[in-house]
Amino acid sequence: MEAMKLEIERLQLNLSAAERDRTLLSIGTDPASINPNVLLDESYMGRLCRVANTLALLGQASLEEKIVGAIGLENSGDSVLDFWNITRIGESCSGGGCEVCAETKVPALASSTATSVGSSQSPLLCSQCERKVCKVCCAGRGALLFSNYKSRDVTNYNGFSSQSGSSHGSQVDVATSRSLTLDGVICKHCCHEMVLDALMLDYVRVLIRLRRSSCADNAAYNALNEVVGSCLKDSLSERIQSSDNAQAAKVLHQLCGGQEALAEFPFASFLHSVETAKDSAPILSLLAPLNSGSRHSYWRAPPSTTSVEFVIVLGSVSDVSGVILLVSPCGYSVADTPMVQIWASNKIHQEERSSMGKWDVQSLITSSSDLYGPEKSASVEKLPRHVKFTFKNPVRCRIIWITLRLQRPGSASVNFGKDLSLLSLDEDENPFAQVDRRASFGGAVENEPCIHAKRILVVGSPVKREGLTTSQSSEQLSIRNWLDRAPQMSRFKVPIEAERLMDYDLVLEQYLPPASPSLAGFCLDAFSAIKPRVTHSPSSDSDIWDKSVTFLEDRYISQAVLYLQVSALQEPHNMVTIAEYRLPEARAGTPMYFEFPRPIQSRRVSFKLLGDVTAFADEPSEQDDSGLRAPLVATGLSLSNRIKLYYYCDPYELGKWASLSGV
């Protein structure tokens, strides 16, 4: 139980008392059953973490061997016991058929709902003491891995043995034949208490991993929903029935006339959000790939909106030749054909943008009756309905402004000679008639017009680096020459009178002589500790890696980050925090230089390593199993002989011995 509490604190979850109790209850443990007076020394906790890490590696290897050995064979079914077999609230020994009775105490929290688990099941046989044991009194199958593995952390801890040892059996025999597999059973009396705590610790790690993976999956679904909308399942089923991506790329190539689509998400996006109707597809669906999302979904503005401006930022400076607007599945009518105006610029200020033209969509589509009304047939091989807005000359830009504005009845854009017949009594020929002949407007009321579109394609070609202007190239060349130029001042090491290490070598204090120069920064040699890839045993008995829609490992979902806090002694005898630096990942021993915000004059400087220090471990070749004391923190994170304070000075002022103190 204490191991589980340590893991919660170790992973820096910052749980409140209520949240901690809920965490304990979620794995079936009564918070009141944890004895706060139990004293666990640092050596035990360090060895417990190492045993849990060993358990994770053994569990991974065991599952791999099981999967490889089962190739070509039928699945034998699940075992009665899982890898951990954690006793949950309300579970107790079955009694009569069990000869071990290791779990007889029922927590007070679950006394009213206590049940005897395993009474209806046939008793198992312990492989150590050969006594009958119920499921509750059995250790998890992971405990059997230590029967075949020699671990000094388990056997050499002050002659450590099970506190509730059985007179009928013995301790875990590390010399047992390797023929013992995970199909056997070992009772809790014959299992080391450290192994039981390691199983609990590993189970908590698995739960935390599953929680983080679930949060990452939800975030991925929400992000995808912002692009393709709530019709994700429909779009996936439609894509299975449709042609492959190669056919969609062919259609896109024909639409662009051999050029490229420059405004495809995520390489391009909108600069500002745009008001969207309630049941509409998300705004980012306008820039989504051509074959993504449902064919019947499209973006539309609220019915009360008569003008919409899209500000599209391209991925790089490009030569844009035009814009293509894909028509929505509902098609256009006389009342909802918009006026389109496009601007382009390299800068965000609207005063500096250039107008590319203004188009009346109604006059452009009068010759094409296919753009009116709902889409009759949808095929991937056929070009989608679209309207092209071609520029007179290609323009080199990074930002595109597109404004869609609805035309009002009675405007100059309505052709009375062609669109209106005063002698006709047919409402279908009257553009001003209030009819609801089709639900193409997408508003709350069917005859209420609104702005809508399926996709926006920006057509052109990206500008290559050699196509940049001469001024841009010369500016980059001058910056590169300035960076390559040797500095006039060099870094030199500040002499140290003494230094002191504290808190597992994570805190370093350096004492400087009175006449030391002003400090400009410090050099830190990169740590030799690593972030292990396997941190817990597999959460499933069928897959080596956890299933996740993101396919991200835990080290990428919740990255372990280290910070170095620097403090200096300032008058009147107070330690003042100078800065806090985030440490990048680098090869062991790589020198990293950090500048102070300002020159510092002090006689004592303190460095403190912060962050998730417990997520790091030493290289297996550098781990020492000879000692009885296992550290809680990896020795590769020690600040000993890693930090050098420096100051800037002209090398000519120090003479010929200047190179000896260079940093």
PDB file of all heavy atoms in Angstrom, residues 551-577:
ATOM      1  N   PHE A 551      -1.129   5.899 -31.072  1.00  0.00           N
ATOM      2  CA  PHE A 551       0.091   5.095 -31.177  1.00  0.00           C
ATOM      3  C   PHE A 551       1.278   5.816 -30.533  1.00  0.00           C
ATOM      4  O   PHE A 551       2.408   5.725 -31.016  1.00  0.00           O
ATOM      5  CB  PHE A 551       0.414   4.771 -32.641  1.00  0.00           C
ATOM      6  CG  PHE A 551      -0.619   3.896 -33.291  1.00  0.00           C
ATOM      7  CD1 PHE A 551      -1.597   4.450 -34.096  1.00  0.00           C
ATOM      8  CD2 PHE A 551      -0.627   2.529 -33.076  1.00  0.00           C
ATOM      9  CE1 PHE A 551      -2.557   3.651 -34.694  1.00  0.00           C
ATOM     10  CE2 PHE A 551      -1.593   1.730 -33.671  1.00  0.00           C
ATOM     11  CZ  PHE A 551      -2.564   2.291 -34.482  1.00  0.00           C
ATOM     12  N   LEU A 552       1.027   6.530 -29.460  1.00  0.00           N
ATOM     13  CA  LEU A 552       2.070   7.251 -28.753  1.00  0.00           C
ATOM     14  C   LEU A 552       2.438   6.513 -27.478  1.00  0.00           C
ATOM     15  O   LEU A 552       1.565   6.037 -26.750  1.00  0.00           O
ATOM     16  CB  LEU A 552       1.616   8.676 -28.408  1.00  0.00           C
ATOM     17  CG  LEU A 552       1.440   9.641 -29.572  1.00  0.00           C
ATOM     18  CD1 LEU A 552       0.926  10.982 -29.061  1.00  0.00           C
ATOM     19  CD2 LEU A 552       2.737   9.835 -30.329  1.00  0.00           C
ATOM     20  N   GLU A 553       3.719   6.432 -27.223  1.00  0.00           N
ATOM     21  CA  GLU A 553       4.171   5.845 -25.978  1.00  0.00           C
ATOM     22  C   GLU A 553       4.024   6.853 -24.853  1.00  0.00           C
ATOM     23  O   GLU A 553       3.886   8.063 -25.074  1.00  0.00           O
ATOM     24  CB  GLU A 553       5.627   5.390 -26.117  1.00  0.00           C
ATOM     25  CG  GLU A 553       5.829   4.346 -27.211  1.00  0.00           C
ATOM     26  CD  GLU A 553       7.284   3.942 -27.329  1.00  0.00           C
ATOM     27  OE1 GLU A 553       8.021   4.103 -26.341  1.00  0.00           O
ATOM     28  OE2 GLU A 553       7.688   3.480 -28.404  1.00  0.00           O
ATOM     29  N   ASP A 554       4.091   6.335 -23.643  1.00  0.00           N
ATOM     30  CA  ASP A 554       3.879   7.186 -22.480  1.00  0.00           C
ATOM     31  C   ASP A 554       4.944   8.269 -22.368  1.00  0.00           C
ATOM     32  O   ASP A 554       4.678   9.355 -21.886  1.00  0.00           O
ATOM     33  CB  ASP A 554       3.864   6.335 -21.211  1.00  0.00           C
ATOM     34  CG  ASP A 554       3.443   7.130 -19.986  1.00  0.00           C
ATOM     35  OD1 ASP A 554       2.442   7.864 -20.089  1.00  0.00           O
ATOM     36  OD2 ASP A 554       4.121   7.046 -18.954  1.00  0.00           O
ATOM     37  N   ARG A 555       6.142   8.003 -22.847  1.00  0.00           N
ATOM     38  CA  ARG A 555       7.209   8.998 -22.739  1.00  0.00           C
ATOM     39  C   ARG A 555       6.966  10.187 -23.655  1.00  0.00           C
ATOM     40  O   ARG A 555       7.573  11.244 -23.477  1.00  0.00           O
ATOM     41  CB  ARG A 555       8.554   8.354 -23.069  1.00  0.00           C
ATOM     42  CG  ARG A 555       8.624   7.686 -24.432  1.00  0.00           C
ATOM     43  CD  ARG A 555      10.010   7.153 -24.710  1.00  0.00           C
ATOM     44  NE  ARG A 555      10.066   6.461 -25.983  1.00  0.00           N
ATOM     45  CZ  ARG A 555      11.206   6.137 -26.579  1.00  0.00           C
ATOM     46  NH1 ARG A 555      12.353   6.435 -26.010  1.00  0.00           N
ATOM     47  NH2 ARG A 555      11.188   5.506 -27.730  1.00  0.00           N
ATOM     48  N   TYR A 556       6.108  10.023 -24.672  1.00  0.00           N
ATOM     49  CA  TYR A 556       5.748  11.138 -25.533  1.00  0.00           C
ATOM     50  C   TYR A 556       4.463  11.824 -25.062  1.00  0.00           C
ATOM     51  O   TYR A 556       4.274  13.015 -25.307  1.00  0.00           O
ATOM     52  CB  TYR A 556       5.576  10.663 -26.976  1.00  0.00           C
ATOM     53  CG  TYR A 556       6.833  10.067 -27.568  1.00  0.00           C
ATOM     54  CD1 TYR A 556       6.862   8.751 -28.014  1.00  0.00           C
ATOM     55  CD2 TYR A 556       7.994  10.811 -27.662  1.00  0.00           C
ATOM     56  CE1 TYR A 556       8.011   8.197 -28.548  1.00  0.00           C
ATOM     57  CE2 TYR A 556       9.151  10.280 -28.194  1.00  0.00           C
ATOM     58  CZ  TYR A 556       9.156   8.973 -28.633  1.00  0.00           C
ATOM     59  OH  TYR A 556      10.301   8.437 -29.158  1.00  0.00           O
ATOM     60  N   ILE A 557       3.572  11.077 -24.430  1.00  0.00           N
ATOM     61  CA  ILE A 557       2.337  11.675 -23.923  1.00  0.00           C
ATOM     62  C   ILE A 557       2.630  12.558 -22.715  1.00  0.00           C
ATOM     63  O   ILE A 557       2.157  13.684 -22.610  1.00  0.00           O
ATOM     64  CB  ILE A 557       1.323  10.566 -23.564  1.00  0.00           C
ATOM     65  CG1 ILE A 557       0.924   9.780 -24.818  1.00  0.00           C
ATOM     66  CG2 ILE A 557       0.085  11.160 -22.900  1.00  0.00           C
ATOM     67  CD1 ILE A 557      -0.010   8.628 -24.532  1.00  0.00           C
ATOM     68  N   SER A 558       3.403  12.037 -21.790  1.00  0.00           N
ATOM     69  CA  SER A 558       3.774  12.787 -20.587  1.00  0.00           C
ATOM     70  C   SER A 558       5.296  12.810 -20.516  1.00  0.00           C
ATOM     71  O   SER A 558       5.919  11.925 -19.933  1.00  0.00           O
ATOM     72  CB  SER A 558       3.170  12.136 -19.336  1.00  0.00           C
ATOM     73  OG  SER A 558       3.553  12.832 -18.172  1.00  0.00           O
ATOM     74  N   GLN A 559       5.883  13.788 -21.141  1.00  0.00           N
ATOM     75  CA  GLN A 559       7.331  13.853 -21.241  1.00  0.00           C
ATOM     76  C   GLN A 559       7.940  14.270 -19.908  1.00  0.00           C
ATOM     77  O   GLN A 559       7.425  15.151 -19.217  1.00  0.00           O
ATOM     78  CB  GLN A 559       7.752  14.831 -22.331  1.00  0.00           C
ATOM     79  CG  GLN A 559       7.343  14.414 -23.728  1.00  0.00           C
ATOM     80  CD  GLN A 559       7.904  15.329 -24.790  1.00  0.00           C
ATOM     81  OE1 GLN A 559       8.599  16.282 -24.492  1.00  0.00           O
ATOM     82  NE2 GLN A 559       7.607  15.041 -26.036  1.00  0.00           N
ATOM     83  N   ALA A 560       9.042  13.605 -19.583  1.00  0.00           N
ATOM     84  CA  ALA A 560       9.792  13.952 -18.375  1.00  0.00           C
ATOM     85  C   ALA A 560      10.739  15.103 -18.704  1.00  0.00           C
ATOM     86  O   ALA A 560      11.622  14.975 -19.554  1.00  0.00           O
ATOM     87  CB  ALA A 560      10.568  12.741 -17.870  1.00  0.00           C
ATOM     88  N   VAL A 561      10.529  16.228 -18.052  1.00  0.00           N
ATOM     89  CA  VAL A 561      11.301  17.435 -18.318  1.00  0.00           C
ATOM     90  C   VAL A 561      12.067  17.813 -17.061  1.00  0.00           C
ATOM     91  O   VAL A 561      11.538  17.732 -15.943  1.00  0.00           O
ATOM     92  CB  VAL A 561      10.379  18.599 -18.758  1.00  0.00           C
ATOM     93  CG1 VAL A 561      11.194  19.847 -19.059  1.00  0.00           C
ATOM     94  CG2 VAL A 561       9.563  18.190 -19.973  1.00  0.00           C
ATOM     95  N   LEU A 562      13.306  18.220 -17.243  1.00  0.00           N
ATOM     96  CA  LEU A 562      14.159  18.644 -16.143  1.00  0.00           C
ATOM     97  C   LEU A 562      14.406  20.145 -16.231  1.00  0.00           C
ATOM     98  O   LEU A 562      14.548  20.708 -17.323  1.00  0.00           O
ATOM     99  CB  LEU A 562      15.500  17.902 -16.175  1.00  0.00           C
ATOM    100  CG  LEU A 562      15.452  16.383 -15.969  1.00  0.00           C
ATOM    101  CD1 LEU A 562      16.845  15.797 -16.082  1.00  0.00           C
ATOM    102  CD2 LEU A 562      14.827  16.034 -14.634  1.00  0.00           C
ATOM    103  N   TYR A 563      14.439  20.779 -15.065  1.00  0.00           N
ATOM    104  CA  TYR A 563      14.736  22.200 -14.952  1.00  0.00           C
ATOM    105  C   TYR A 563      15.890  22.388 -13.972  1.00  0.00           C
ATOM    106  O   TYR A 563      16.064  21.588 -13.045  1.00  0.00           O
ATOM    107  CB  TYR A 563      13.514  22.983 -14.459  1.00  0.00           C
ATOM    108  CG  TYR A 563      12.310  22.904 -15.365  1.00  0.00           C
ATOM    109  CD1 TYR A 563      11.368  21.878 -15.214  1.00  0.00           C
ATOM    110  CD2 TYR A 563      12.104  23.836 -16.367  1.00  0.00           C
ATOM    111  CE1 TYR A 563      10.266  21.787 -16.045  1.00  0.00           C
ATOM    112  CE2 TYR A 563      10.995  23.758 -17.198  1.00  0.00           C
ATOM    113  CZ  TYR A 563      10.082  22.736 -17.031  1.00  0.00           C
ATOM    114  OH  TYR A 563       8.996  22.662 -17.851  1.00  0.00           O
ATOM    115  N   LEU A 564      16.650  23.434 -14.201  1.00  0.00           N
ATOM    116  CA  LEU A 564      17.741  23.769 -13.297  1.00  0.00           C
ATOM    117  C   LEU A 564      17.492  25.176 -12.764  1.00  0.00           C
ATOM    118  O   LEU A 564      17.486  26.147 -13.530  1.00  0.00           O
ATOM    119  CB  LEU A 564      19.090  23.701 -14.013  1.00  0.00           C
ATOM    120  CG  LEU A 564      20.315  23.712 -13.109  1.00  0.00           C
ATOM    121  CD1 LEU A 564      20.326  22.478 -12.213  1.00  0.00           C
ATOM    122  CD2 LEU A 564      21.599  23.771 -13.915  1.00  0.00           C
ATOM    123  N   GLN A 565      17.261  25.261 -11.478  1.00  0.00           N
ATOM    124  CA  GLN A 565      17.002  26.544 -10.825  1.00  0.00           C
ATOM    125  C   GLN A 565      18.300  27.069 -10.232  1.00  0.00           C
ATOM    126  O   GLN A 565      18.985  26.362  -9.493  1.00  0.00           O
ATOM    127  CB  GLN A 565      15.948  26.376  -9.734  1.00  0.00           C
ATOM    128  CG  GLN A 565      15.505  27.671  -9.083  1.00  0.00           C
ATOM    129  CD  GLN A 565      14.532  27.430  -7.949  1.00  0.00           C
ATOM    130  OE1 GLN A 565      14.912  26.973  -6.879  1.00  0.00           O
ATOM    131  NE2 GLN A 565      13.254  27.702  -8.205  1.00  0.00           N
ATOM    132  N   VAL A 566      18.622  28.303 -10.564  1.00  0.00           N
ATOM    133  CA  VAL A 566      19.863  28.933 -10.115  1.00  0.00           C
ATOM    134  C   VAL A 566      19.518  30.051  -9.145  1.00  0.00           C
ATOM    135  O   VAL A 566      18.682  30.912  -9.457  1.00  0.00           O
ATOM    136  CB  VAL A 566      20.669  29.483 -11.310  1.00  0.00           C
ATOM    137  CG1 VAL A 566      21.998  30.065 -10.832  1.00  0.00           C
ATOM    138  CG2 VAL A 566      20.903  28.396 -12.339  1.00  0.00           C
ATOM    139  N   SER A 567      20.142  30.018  -7.977  1.00  0.00           N
ATOM    140  CA  SER A 567      19.958  31.052  -6.950  1.00  0.00           C
ATOM    141  C   SER A 567      21.322  31.561  -6.522  1.00  0.00           C
ATOM    142  O   SER A 567      22.323  30.826  -6.564  1.00  0.00           O
ATOM    143  CB  SER A 567      19.192  30.505  -5.741  1.00  0.00           C
ATOM    144  OG  SER A 567      17.950  29.943  -6.135  1.00  0.00           O
ATOM    145  N   ALA A 568      21.371  32.806  -6.101  1.00  0.00           N
ATOM    146  CA  ALA A 568      22.617  33.438  -5.661  1.00  0.00           C
ATOM    147  C   ALA A 568      22.382  34.178  -4.362  1.00  0.00           C
ATOM    148  O   ALA A 568      21.269  34.655  -4.086  1.00  0.00           O
ATOM    149  CB  ALA A 568      23.150  34.388  -6.729  1.00  0.00           C
ATOM    150  N   LEU A 569      23.428  34.255  -3.567  1.00  0.00           N
ATOM    151  CA  LEU A 569      23.364  34.954  -2.281  1.00  0.00           C
ATOM    152  C   LEU A 569      23.494  36.448  -2.518  1.00  0.00           C
ATOM    153  O   LEU A 569      24.479  36.928  -3.075  1.00  0.00           O
ATOM    154  CB  LEU A 569      24.481  34.461  -1.358  1.00  0.00           C
ATOM    155  CG  LEU A 569      24.544  35.105   0.030  1.00  0.00           C
ATOM    156  CD1 LEU A 569      23.284  34.794   0.825  1.00  0.00           C
ATOM    157  CD2 LEU A 569      25.785  34.642   0.778  1.00  0.00           C
ATOM    158  N   GLN A 570      22.479  37.181  -2.109  1.00  0.00           N
ATOM    159  CA  GLN A 570      22.462  38.637  -2.240  1.00  0.00           C
ATOM    160  C   GLN A 570      22.261  39.254  -0.873  1.00  0.00           C
ATOM    161  O   GLN A 570      21.766  38.616   0.060  1.00  0.00           O
ATOM    162  CB  GLN A 570      21.340  39.077  -3.201  1.00  0.00           C
ATOM    163  CG  GLN A 570      21.434  38.466  -4.593  1.00  0.00           C
ATOM    164  CD  GLN A 570      22.612  38.980  -5.381  1.00  0.00           C
ATOM    165  OE1 GLN A 570      23.062  40.111  -5.186  1.00  0.00           O
ATOM    166  NE2 GLN A 570      23.146  38.156  -6.268  1.00  0.00           N
ATOM    167  N   GLU A 571      22.666  40.484  -0.761  1.00  0.00           N
ATOM    168  CA  GLU A 571      22.502  41.194   0.510  1.00  0.00           C
ATOM    169  C   GLU A 571      21.028  41.465   0.753  1.00  0.00           C
ATOM    170  O   GLU A 571      20.275  41.767  -0.192  1.00  0.00           O
ATOM    171  CB  GLU A 571      23.290  42.501   0.475  1.00  0.00           C
ATOM    172  CG  GLU A 571      24.797  42.303   0.322  1.00  0.00           C
ATOM    173  CD  GLU A 571      25.419  41.564   1.480  1.00  0.00           C
ATOM    174  OE1 GLU A 571      24.794  41.573   2.567  1.00  0.00           O
ATOM    175  OE2 GLU A 571      26.486  40.968   1.317  1.00  0.00           O
ATOM    176  N   PRO A 572      20.556  41.408   1.995  1.00  0.00           N
ATOM    177  CA  PRO A 572      21.310  41.044   3.208  1.00  0.00           C
ATOM    178  C   PRO A 572      21.178  39.556   3.526  1.00  0.00           C
ATOM    179  O   PRO A 572      20.220  39.155   4.188  1.00  0.00           O
ATOM    180  CB  PRO A 572      20.660  41.891   4.288  1.00  0.00           C
ATOM    181  CG  PRO A 572      19.237  42.037   3.846  1.00  0.00           C
ATOM    182  CD  PRO A 572      19.222  41.961   2.333  1.00  0.00           C
ATOM    183  N   HIS A 573      22.074  38.743   3.006  1.00  0.00           N
ATOM    184  CA  HIS A 573      22.190  37.320   3.313  1.00  0.00           C
ATOM    185  C   HIS A 573      20.923  36.541   2.961  1.00  0.00           C
ATOM    186  O   HIS A 573      20.425  35.741   3.741  1.00  0.00           O
ATOM    187  CB  HIS A 573      22.532  37.121   4.799  1.00  0.00           C
ATOM    188  CG  HIS A 573      23.734  37.891   5.234  1.00  0.00           C
ATOM    189  ND1 HIS A 573      25.009  37.580   4.833  1.00  0.00           N
ATOM    190  CD2 HIS A 573      23.843  38.989   6.028  1.00  0.00           C
ATOM    191  CE1 HIS A 573      25.874  38.437   5.369  1.00  0.00           C
ATOM    192  NE2 HIS A 573      25.192  39.311   6.095  1.00  0.00           N
ATOM    193  N   ASN A 574      20.389  36.779   1.780  1.00  0.00           N
ATOM    194  CA  ASN A 574      19.214  36.057   1.306  1.00  0.00           C
ATOM    195  C   ASN A 574      19.526  35.427  -0.049  1.00  0.00           C
ATOM    196  O   ASN A 574      20.211  36.043  -0.888  1.00  0.00           O
ATOM    197  CB  ASN A 574      17.999  36.988   1.167  1.00  0.00           C
ATOM    198  CG  ASN A 574      17.499  37.478   2.509  1.00  0.00           C
ATOM    199  OD1 ASN A 574      17.582  36.764   3.505  1.00  0.00           O
ATOM    200  ND2 ASN A 574      16.989  38.702   2.546  1.00  0.00           N
ATOM    201  N   MET A 575      19.025  34.221  -0.244  1.00  0.00           N
ATOM    202  CA  MET A 575      19.177  33.548  -1.531  1.00  0.00           C
ATOM    203  C   MET A 575      18.068  34.018  -2.466  1.00  0.00           C
ATOM    204  O   MET A 575      16.882  33.916  -2.157  1.00  0.00           O
ATOM    205  CB  MET A 575      19.115  32.036  -1.362  1.00  0.00           C
ATOM    206  CG  MET A 575      20.251  31.446  -0.538  1.00  0.00           C
ATOM    207  SD  MET A 575      21.873  31.692  -1.295  1.00  0.00           S
ATOM    208  CE  MET A 575      21.732  30.647  -2.733  1.00  0.00           C
ATOM    209  N   VAL A 576      18.466  34.541  -3.612  1.00  0.00           N
ATOM    210  CA  VAL A 576      17.533  35.096  -4.593  1.00  0.00           C
ATOM    211  C   VAL A 576      17.595  34.235  -5.853  1.00  0.00           C
ATOM    212  O   VAL A 576      18.690  33.909  -6.349  1.00  0.00           O
ATOM    213  CB  VAL A 576      17.870  36.559  -4.923  1.00  0.00           C
ATOM    214  CG1 VAL A 576      16.905  37.102  -5.978  1.00  0.00           C
ATOM    215  CG2 VAL A 576      17.833  37.411  -3.667  1.00  0.00           C
ATOM    216  N   THR A 577      16.434  33.850  -6.359  1.00  0.00           N
ATOM    217  CA  THR A 577      16.384  33.060  -7.592  1.00  0.00           C
ATOM    218  C   THR A 577      16.755  33.929  -8.783  1.00  0.00           C
ATOM    219  O   THR A 577      16.141  34.964  -9.044  1.00  0.00           O
ATOM    220  CB  THR A 577      14.981  32.466  -7.789  1.00  0.00           C
ATOM    221  OG1 THR A 577      14.653  31.632  -6.659  1.00  0.00           O
ATOM    222  CG2 THR A 577      14.923  31.627  -9.049  1.00  0.00           C
TER     223      THR A 577
END
